[in-house]
């Protein structure tokens, strides 16, 4: 379960960097406001992994659950932003998809690489 906090930090980092790059300020309330829709998507993804279950042998650090977390976080985050009247411009969707992909899948890929490079 320690992947959940890693994913939360990734979403918060995404929001902080985005706000910083748009000179919106790095206040805690501001970062949480930006991250909120994506944290909601992340929560739904993790709920699906924990409550609904996952195929035998899957681990949250593996790529398949990571893909579910990434896709749910982006798609549900964008839906929540739209419902809240926030922007979902195509460029924002593309950047969000790429950046969250790197932040949510990158650590899993690194873990996978370290696991597979160990001698048998």
């Amino acid at each position: 379960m320690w992947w959940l906090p890693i994913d939360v930090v990734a979403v918060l980092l995404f929001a902080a960097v985005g706000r910083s790059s748009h000179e919106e300020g790095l206040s805690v309330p501001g970062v949480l406001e930006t991250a909120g829709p994506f944290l909601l998507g992340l929560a739904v993804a993790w709920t699906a992994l924990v409550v609904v279950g996952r195929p035998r042998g899957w681990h949250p650090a593996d790529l398949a659950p990571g893909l579910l977390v990434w896709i749910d976080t982006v798609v549900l985050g964008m839906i929540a932003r739209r419902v809240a009247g926030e922007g979902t411009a195509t460029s924002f969707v593309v950047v969000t998809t790429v950046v969250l992909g790197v932040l949510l899948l990158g650590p899993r890929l690194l873990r996978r690489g370290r696991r597979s490079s160990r001698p048998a």
Side-chain angles (χ1 to χ4, degrees), residues 2-3 6 61-62 105-120:
W2 57 274
W3 279 91
I6 291 171
D62 292 339
L105 297 177
R108 288 169 169 87
L109 289 170
L110 289 173
R111 180 185 182 275
R112 184 178 183 179
R114 275 189 280 147
R115 243 187 0 192
S116 64
S117 66
R118 290 184 185 155

Side-chain angles (χ1 to χ4, degrees), residues 29-108:
V31 170
L32 291 175
E33 179 183 347
T34 301
F38 302 102
L39 290 171
L40 176 66
L42 183 68
V44 170
W46 270 92
T47 300
L49 285 174
V50 173
V51 173
V52 176
R54 54 190 183 266
R56 184 180 205 94
W58 270 21
H59 185 279
D62 292 339
L63 197 53
L67 288 169
L68 172 76
V69 167
W70 171 44
I71 291 166
D72 280 2
T73 300
V74 172
V75 171
L76 297 175
M78 289 300 170
I79 290 170
R81 281 183 61 89
R82 174 71 80 160
V83 168
E86 298 291 325
T88 54
T90 303
S91 59
F92 178 69
V93 173
V94 170
V95 169
T96 299
T97 302
V98 171
V99 172
L100 284 176
V102 169
L103 292 173
L104 294 170
L105 297 177
R108 288 169 169 87

